Amino acid sequence: MLFPTKLSSFEVIKKTRNDFEQINFRDFDIDTVPVVYIQRDKKNLYVGKSTDIYGRFSTHLKDIRKTFTEIIIIKSALFNESSIKHIETLLIDYLLADSKFNLLNKIKGQNIHSYNGIEDVNNMFMEIWSKLIEEGIASEQLGEIHNKFIYKYSPFKMLSSNQIKVCQKILEAIEYTSESRHLITGDPGTGKTIVLTNILYAIVYDQTTGKDREGLDREDVALVIPQNHSLGSYKDLIRKVGLHGITVLSPSQFIKKAKGKDDKYKYVFVDEAHRLKQYFSKQARDLRHLVTEDGYTTELELISEYAYHLTIVYDQYQTIRPADIDTAHFKRMTADYKTHILHKQFRLKSGDQYLAWLRKYLHIANDVAVYEKRVLKDYDFNVMDSISELYEAIKNLNDDHELCRAVAGYSWHWTTQKDKNSHDITDSVTGAQFNWNSKTKGWINQENSVEEIGCIHTIQGADLNYVGVVFGEEIDCGYAGEEDGSYDLSKANIIVSPDKYKDRNGLPIKGTDLNNEELKFYIKHIYYVLLSRGINGCYVFATNPNMQRYLKEMVRMTN
């Protein structure tokens, strides 16, 4: 049957295993032409491409792992070597995330460069996917898949040249040296986690044959995740992409397990390493593993002690608590690491200028020149007039796009943790009442999370389609108004109030923080993280009037 699209058409042809087992029969409609095919049985799928499908299937029929009974063949007059590589890569990526079937592919799809007709093929793929849902091969719409953790971070993603180069350099060091240390850095959205999962996958599977690498014990490979709220998502990702057997643990769990091993782990990877811990007396019970005979150590030092090859992902602007390793100390400890920088922004539609703009006006850093007149050109950034207005806007956006959440600075007690009939946050403008997140782990994917307001500990490291950020009373802005009523952004300064900040473990030890500089450092970083979560846009409201005006002036300068 032919399925027309606006610019192109494709044909779906169904075959059985028996059709290919007949040596003397060939269907000339599919013989020696470029096609993409999907093999399936009751539980498994395998995606491939070929310009000689009968020759290719002579190999498939000998593979005892492939017990396929049905073959779906996709053919189009537009197909050539470039387009079938493209369709194959897209199918591998999306069918893995759809997870209705187990995907047998162990070799990643190929990196696709621009070619003549690529837009037509992209349009065609949407129609192909709809047909696969109709055929019972896929179950979820493309938009739903885009929101899934496994889709965003799977090692089957196409990589940029910068990302490929980083992967290659680290893999070369791992292969040709007995020990190595690597530091991957870059802004949110530059693909640090995807690089990590690609390296992991390349260590386990030979990307020429698709077979497990000889001599590798998967228990010698570890992925360490410092953020408990996302640990389960990483474990699920590792299992679904065929990397089961790899150790996936929190830092303290890893350290405990490593101490009981006869030898070091051969390969260790740490994502979100800015959340690795140093000793902090307020959290002494949770940080007992950092106590030594002559003082204290850090999780990074202990992890390094148990690894031959160590690769960590780090963002210096995402350290948010006193128990996180101090930035200066972290830099000293990693001074001898080989640094790999990722530059290109893939997540935020605003691009990397938006992040530099945030760092400038949160007074975190002025490291990149910001062209303010264009910074919000392709980004939906709005200053709202109340918590209620922000909350309703995010709920409406969630109806249209899904994965939109409201979050806030830690300026309210978590009363509902003990009293479910109470509330946590009151809108001073409308009097409306709201609740904090009812759980921390996996909150953004919880069914009722759009009805709640999340904190930093639910959202760091996550991607949202839109984010709504409430600035609490713990952060304010020194007045920058002039006598004539004008406003001078350069004269504004960020102020924090320890008595309004309700994260007990986020407050420095009393008497040690001169002029609240340390607390200010953490709070500014928290808002930087919150404001960088939205792919398509960010809505904001500040409970303090001066901070609210500061936000409005920031936006006005971009118009």
Side-chain angles (χ1 to χ4, degrees):
M1 186 180 296
L2 202 62
F3 295 90
T5 66
K6 186 175 181 181
L7 296 173
S8 57
S9 60
F10 65 92
E11 190 175 357
V12 171
I13 300 167
K14 294 182 185 180
K15 296 286 183 182
T16 67
R17 186 185 189 97
N18 184 58
D19 291 331
F20 285 95
E21 289 174 333
Q22 297 179 46
I23 300 172
N24 298 322
F25 175 78
R26 290 195 174 202
D27 183 342
F28 292 105
D29 283 341
I30 59 173
D31 190 23
T32 66
V33 298
V35 298
V36 181
Y37 59 86
I38 302 170
Q39 302 171 356
R40 75 166 168 179
D41 57 26
K42 289 182 179 180
K43 295 182 179 180
N44 304 301
L45 296 179
Y46 179 85
V47 179
K49 61 173 174 56
S50 182
T51 55
D52 178 16
I53 194 167
Y54 283 96
R56 184 77 184 94
F57 267 65
S58 66
T59 303
H60 283 311
L61 290 168
K62 296 173 185 175
D63 189 340
I64 61 172
R65 296 173 302 170
K66 293 170 184 169
T67 58
F68 62 91
T69 55
E70 184 179 7
I71 305 97
I72 301 293
I73 298 164
I74 303 165
K75 156 185 183 185
S76 172
L78 284 181
F79 280 179
N80 53 33
E81 283 283 1
S82 295
S83 54
I84 61 174
K85 286 178 185 176
H86 189 183
I87 294 288
E88 178 195 41
T89 297
L90 291 171
L91 285 173
I92 290 172
D93 205 12
Y94 281 100
L95 287 170
L96 172 73
D98 182 84
S99 69
K100 180 175 182 178
F101 287 85
N102 174 47
L103 191 68
L104 293 177
N105 291 76
K106 300 304 179 190
I107 300 175
K108 297 187 297 178
Q110 301 182 39
N111 286 295
I112 305 302
H113 304 287
S114 184
Y115 61 87
N116 186 33
I118 191 170
E119 288 303 319
D120 290 354
V121 172
N122 280 328
N123 290 332
M124 181 193 296
F125 183 75
M126 291 187 283
E127 298 298 326
I128 289 172
W129 189 259
S130 295
K131 180 61 179 172
L132 294 183
I133 292 176
E134 184 183 318
E135 293 290 339
I137 292 172
S139 60
E140 297 177 293
Q141 299 295 332
L142 293 177
E144 295 176 282
I145 290 176
H146 289 163
N147 291 330
K148 298 177 75 170
F149 188 91
I150 188 172
Y151 173 77
K152 292 177 180 179
Y153 301 115
S154 90
F156 292 167
K157 277 279 174 295
M158 292 181 282
L159 301 182
S160 69
S161 58
N162 179 204
Q163 291 170 331
I164 291 170
K165 190 174 182 180
V166 169
C167 289
Q168 288 173 341
K169 284 186 174 296
I170 294 174
L171 286 166
E172 284 172 9
I174 285 172
E175 184 175 358
Y176 296 113
T177 61
S178 57
E179 292 196 38
S180 66
R181 295 291 181 270
H182 303 275
L183 179 69
I184 301 174
T185 67
D187 283 343
T190 52
K192 299 184 293 295
T193 299
I194 289 172
V195 165
L196 212 60
T197 59
N198 267 269
I199 296 169
L200 268 169
Y201 201 82
I203 285 172
V204 173
Y205 291 109
D206 185 312
Q207 285 304 287
T208 302
T209 65
K211 296 180 179 179
D212 284 36
R213 291 195 182 276
E214 290 185 14
L216 176 73
D217 182 351
R218 293 193 185 194
E219 291 187 358
D220 247 354
V221 184
L223 175 60
V224 180
I225 307 299
Q227 306 210 86
N228 283 330
H229 73 261
S230 55
L231 183 59
S233 296
Y234 280 89
K235 286 182 177 181
D236 190 48
L237 169 68
I238 291 301
R239 178 179 58 81
K240 286 183 176 177
V241 300
L243 295 176
H244 41 276
I246 287 177
T247 300
V248 185
L249 297 170
S250 70
S252 60
Q253 290 169 339
F254 169 82
I255 291 163
K256 182 178 180 180
K257 187 169 183 178
K259 285 180 178 178
K261 272 176 63 74
D262 294 332
D263 196 5
K264 300 178 184 180
Y265 280 85
K266 192 167 185 180
Y267 309 109
V268 179
F269 300 86
V270 184
D271 205 0
E272 308 278 349
H274 35 268
R275 298 309 313 277
L276 290 175
K277 299 295 182 278
Q278 62 187 6
Y279 189 78
F280 180 54
S281 59
K282 281 188 178 181
Q283 292 179 259
R285 187 172 64 178
D286 298 326
L287 301 175
R288 285 175 293 188
H289 59 292
L290 301 181
V291 179
T292 65
E293 290 182 0
D294 54 358
Y296 310 108
T297 186
T298 67
E299 287 182 336
L300 178 58
E301 288 168 298
L302 287 174
I303 291 168
S304 181
E305 190 178 313
Y306 297 117
Y308 284 109
H309 296 280
L310 175 62
T311 301
I312 65 174
V313 166
Y314 181 70
D315 183 346
Q316 64 176 325
Y317 301 122
Q318 293 201 51
T319 300
I320 62 164
R321 263 181 164 183
D324 296 342
I325 299 174
D326 173 78
T327 305
H329 186 40
F330 202 104
K331 288 181 177 180
R332 288 193 297 271
M333 286 190 290
T334 57
D336 294 332
Y337 284 44
K338 175 63 177 175
T339 300
H340 309 271
I341 304 173
L342 297 174
H343 300 285
K344 187 175 180 181
Q345 176 60 238
F346 292 98
R347 184 174 74 200
L348 302 175
K349 285 192 175 178
S350 54
D352 54 3
Q353 278 284 298
Y354 170 70
L355 296 170
W357 180 70
L358 289 180
R359 292 195 293 270
K360 176 180 178 179
Y361 285 111
L362 287 172
H363 299 174
I364 291 173
N366 214 356
D367 53 336
V368 177
V370 181
Y371 302 97
E372 295 181 41
K373 292 296 182 184
R374 300 175 58 187
V375 75
L376 298 178
K377 179 175 176 289
D378 299 314
Y379 197 60
D380 187 9
F381 191 99
N382 284 286
V383 182
M384 313 305 282
D385 292 321
S386 66
I387 299 175
S388 300
E389 186 183 17
L390 179 148
Y391 175 84
E392 289 302 322
I394 293 300
K395 283 189 69 177
N396 290 335
L397 286 165
N398 190 69
D399 290 339
D400 294 333
H401 304 278
E402 297 187 349
L403 209 60
C404 304
R405 302 290 182 266
V407 296
Y410 216 138
S411 190
W412 293 269
H413 286 295
W414 192 6
T415 306
T416 53
Q417 186 180 25
K418 295 181 179 178
D419 182 2
K420 301 299 182 185
N421 296 317
S422 185
H423 68 275
D424 301 304
I425 300 168
T426 300
D427 186 342
S428 60
V429 178
T430 67
Q433 297 174 337
F434 307 93
N435 290 341
W436 277 124
N437 46 276
S438 53
K439 61 183 289 187
T440 302
K441 292 182 181 179
W443 175 76
I444 64 167
N445 295 311
Q446 182 179 300
E447 188 175 344
N448 68 328
S449 57
V450 73
E451 307 287 341
E452 301 171 341
I453 294 180
C455 71
I456 182 66
H457 306 305
T458 65
I459 209 73
Q460 191 169 18
D463 294 338
L464 300 171
N465 289 323
Y466 285 86
V467 65
V469 180
V470 179
F471 286 70
E473 292 187 358
E474 87 287 12
I475 187 169
D476 203 356
C477 182
Y479 186 61
E482 301 294 301
E483 290 184 2
D484 62 0
S486 63
Y487 197 90
D488 187 348
L489 277 172
S490 66
K491 292 183 179 180
N493 62 301
I494 301 295
I495 301 166
V496 297
S497 303
D499 60 319
K500 301 289 180 64
Y501 188 58
K502 306 305 180 185
D503 185 354
R504 184 179 65 85
N505 292 327
L507 287 164
I509 302 297
K510 194 170 184 179
T512 65
D513 187 13
L514 185 63
N515 298 322
N516 300 320
E517 287 302 314
E518 185 182 352
L519 179 62
K520 187 190 297 184
F521 174 91
Y522 298 131
I523 290 176
K524 290 191 297 185
H525 280 209
I526 286 169
Y527 281 102
Y528 175 71
V529 173
L530 298 180
L531 292 161
S532 62
R533 296 303 95 194
I535 295 170
N536 301 308
C538 177
Y539 289 23
V540 299
F541 170 74
T543 54
N544 283 318
N546 284 339
M547 192 71 204
Q548 177 76 345
R549 182 171 183 189
Y550 184 58
L551 294 172
K552 288 185 175 181
E553 290 294 332
M554 282 168 53
V555 174
R556 188 180 66 81
M557 288 292 290
T558 68
N559 297 326

